[in-house]
């Protein structure tokens, strides 16, 4: 017997009511684990969107011309000419991390973050001086790679992670970096200190990265420009403020390429960062002349293929985000390395501990 239109409509409405009731019942049955899984899925979606936007930005922004440093040679009977490179990123200096969030593995606040930053700076001076005893360190490169802020204003944060507003946090970071740069220039006797910069994903003032204008909406860009202006009178210091996602720096004939790292998607499993990082390098060589790629963002310190790439750690250490996401949580540490300017090869790799 054929159903009438009214009966068909009544059946459709009944099915719709059942679906709504089922969804409502599911929402009421959700556990804390379900909610955490949904939060992780949302974070993954946000990360993928940010990576896509960053990729579009990189494509539409032509690579800026690289300022070339003069090549250097060993003086007869002299020491090996070298350059020391220190990566500084992902400090999250003012982030609040409780022992409850990390199961007792870590505790962090602005005072601890500041202490870790100074421990890194003193370790950098000690390591560089050790190298100067054996090599002629012509240039010190200190990359400021972004995510010094935790930025409590980000739209996806459900609870306070910093006592300061984003502008106040940026000013606190600016003053800390200014003191550390002053300390480095007074403690280290090197002819040249080059400071390239990159913005990070936590630095942004917008909900999402704005393609082609990410630097215009970054708290750290203003911080970097203030620092460059404050130290403009020092002829030994040279800031290279980022103009695009990728920052290329020539170090006496050895090419370095810097990026915060949010455009490199973590591969997980056995390969981790290695596979996506090395694949990205192949694509980047079409536009940039470099030997080594340096990134941060993933809070994992590592050297790949004998120095073809480096990933930087963090100074915040394990936090609620890394624990909930099941990510590798490393002790507070930053990467550094030495470039042999005679062979144009990576000579040494260092870990500068923050705690």
């Amino acid at each position: 017997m054929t159903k009438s239109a009214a009966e068909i409509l009544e059946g459709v409405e009944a099915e719709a009511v059942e679906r709504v009731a089922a969804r409502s019942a599911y929402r009421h049955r959700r556990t804390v684990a379900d909610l955490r899984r949904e939060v992780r899925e949302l974070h993954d979606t946000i990360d993928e969107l940010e990576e896509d936007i960053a990729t579009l930005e990189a494509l539409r922004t032509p690579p800026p011309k690289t300022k070339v440093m003069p090549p250097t040679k060993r003086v007869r009977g002299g020491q090996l000419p070298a350059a020391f490179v220190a990566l500084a990123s992902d400090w999250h200096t003012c982030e609040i991390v409780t022992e409850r969030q990390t199961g007792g593995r870590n505790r962090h606040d602005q005072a601890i973050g500041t202490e870790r930053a100074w421990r890194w700076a003193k370790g950098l001076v000690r390591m560089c001086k050790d190298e100067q005893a054996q090599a002629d360190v012509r240039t010190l490169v200190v990359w400021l790679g972004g995510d010094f802020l935790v930025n409590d204003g980000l739209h996806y944060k459900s609870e306070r992670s910093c006592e300061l507003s984003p502008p106040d946090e940026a000013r606190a970071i600016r003053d800390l970096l200014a003191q550390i740069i002053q300390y480095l220039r007074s403690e280290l006797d090197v002819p040249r200190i080059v400071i390239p910069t990159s913005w990070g994903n936590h630095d942004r003032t917008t909900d999402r990265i704005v393609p082609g204008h990410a630097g215009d909406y970054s708290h750290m860009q203003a911080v970097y420009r203030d620092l460059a202006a404050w130290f403009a009178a020092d002829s030994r210091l040279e800031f290279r403020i980022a103009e695009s996602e990728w920052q290329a720096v020539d170090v006496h004939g050895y090419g370095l390429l810097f990026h915060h790292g949010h455009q490199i998607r973590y591969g997980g499993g056995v390969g981790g960062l290695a596979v996506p990082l090395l694949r990205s390098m192949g694509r980047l060589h079409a536009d940039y002349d470099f030997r080594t790629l340096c990134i941060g963002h993933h809070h994992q310190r590592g050297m790949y293929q004998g120095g073809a790439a480096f990933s930087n750690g963090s100074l915040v250490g394990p936090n609620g985000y890394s624990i909930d996401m099941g990510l590798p949580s490393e002790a507070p540490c930053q990467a550094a390395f030495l470039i042999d300017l005679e062979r144009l090869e990576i000579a040494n790799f260092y870990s500068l501990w923050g705690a």
Side-chain angles (χ1 to χ4, degrees):
M1 180 176 178
T2 304
K3 293 183 179 180
S4 65
E7 290 173 331
I8 294 174
L9 180 60
E10 183 179 351
V12 170
E13 289 176 347
E15 291 178 1
V17 169
E18 289 178 2
R19 286 197 297 271
V20 171
R23 285 197 296 269
S24 178
Y26 169 73
R27 283 197 296 270
H28 287 91
R29 289 198 309 271
R30 284 186 297 179
T31 64
V32 173
D34 292 329
L35 293 173
R36 286 179 175 172
R37 185 183 67 254
E38 291 175 17
V39 169
R40 287 197 295 269
E41 292 173 353
L42 288 172
H43 283 163
D44 290 341
T45 301
I46 291 171
D47 290 343
E48 290 176 4
L49 290 172
E50 288 180 347
E51 290 166 3
D52 292 341
I53 291 170
T55 300
L56 291 173
E57 180 178 355
L59 290 173
R60 62 183 286 176
T61 305
K65 293 183 179 180
T66 304
K67 187 175 181 180
V68 178
M69 296 183 193
T72 183
K73 294 182 179 180
R74 186 197 301 242
V75 178
R76 176 171 299 206
Q79 294 176 313
L80 174 75
F84 195 94
V85 182
L87 308 184
S89 70
D90 304 279
W91 287 9
H92 292 219
T93 301
C94 301
E95 181 172 355
I96 298 172
V97 179
T98 65
E99 292 184 346
R100 177 186 59 81
Q101 290 174 315
T102 61
R105 296 169 60 186
N106 189 29
R107 183 172 65 86
H108 190 276
D109 54 29
Q110 185 174 349
I112 295 174
T114 301
E115 179 184 350
R116 291 181 180 180
W118 276 106
R119 182 170 295 187
W120 168 83
K122 292 175 181 178
L124 168 56
V125 167
R126 185 172 60 254
M127 290 287 189
C128 192
K129 285 184 176 180
D130 286 346
E131 285 293 357
Q132 284 181 306
Q134 307 173 60
D136 180 12
V137 178
R138 305 284 177 86
T139 297
L140 169 66
V141 179
V142 181
W143 174 55
L144 302 182
D147 277 13
F148 296 95
L149 283 67
V150 63
N151 193 354
D152 203 53
L154 290 179
H155 69 287
Y156 60 78
K157 291 185 175 295
S158 58
E159 59 183 22
R160 294 300 301 273
S161 55
C162 179
E163 293 180 348
L164 301 177
S165 67
D168 287 339
E169 187 184 10
R171 282 190 286 270
I173 296 299
R174 179 196 62 189
D175 294 345
L176 174 62
L177 288 174
Q179 294 168 17
I180 287 177
I181 291 171
Q182 175 63 35
Y183 169 73
L184 296 178
R185 68 199 283 263
S186 63
E187 289 291 324
L188 291 174
D189 182 20
V190 292
R192 183 199 304 259
I193 301 176
V194 178
I195 304 178
T197 70
S198 299
W199 57 76
N201 58 303
H202 274 268
D203 309 335
R204 66 183 188 271
T205 60
T206 52
D207 281 350
R208 295 180 179 177
I209 294 175
V210 181
H213 299 280
D216 299 331
Y217 295 97
S218 166
H219 287 293
M220 285 307 298
Q221 285 293 88
V223 169
Y224 295 148
R225 292 189 181 106
D226 279 350
L227 293 173
W230 289 355
F231 293 102
D234 189 338
S235 59
R236 286 195 308 151
L237 265 175
E238 181 183 347
F239 277 81
R240 306 278 184 92
I241 308 298
E243 299 178 4
S244 63
E245 286 281 347
W246 304 93
Q247 170 81 294
V249 175
D250 175 88
V251 183
H252 303 288
Y254 192 98
L256 297 172
L257 185 63
F258 297 101
H259 181 265
H260 174 67
H262 51 278
Q263 194 170 329
I264 310 295
R265 186 177 302 177
Y266 181 67
V270 177
L273 267 176
V275 174
L277 185 56
L278 295 174
R279 283 179 177 172
S280 297
M281 290 178 61
R283 294 191 296 269
L284 290 165
H285 277 298
D287 293 318
Y288 299 94
D289 182 16
F290 69 97
R291 293 282 304 281
T292 294
L293 172 63
C294 301
I295 67 167
H297 182 66
H298 298 277
H299 296 202
Q300 294 181 47
R301 181 185 76 263
M303 179 175 72
Y304 307 85
Q305 287 193 346
F310 291 92
S311 59
N312 201 23
S314 77
L315 288 187
V316 68
N319 58 14
Y321 177 78
S322 65
I323 297 295
D324 287 344
M325 294 291 288
L327 300 173
S329 297
E330 297 185 352
C333 190
Q334 302 275 271
F337 54 91
L338 189 80
I339 303 174
D340 178 341
L341 295 178
E342 189 169 73
R343 301 179 65 89
L344 292 179
E345 297 286 352
I346 300 298
N348 295 321
F349 174 49
Y350 294 104
S351 297
L352 300 179
W353 301 99

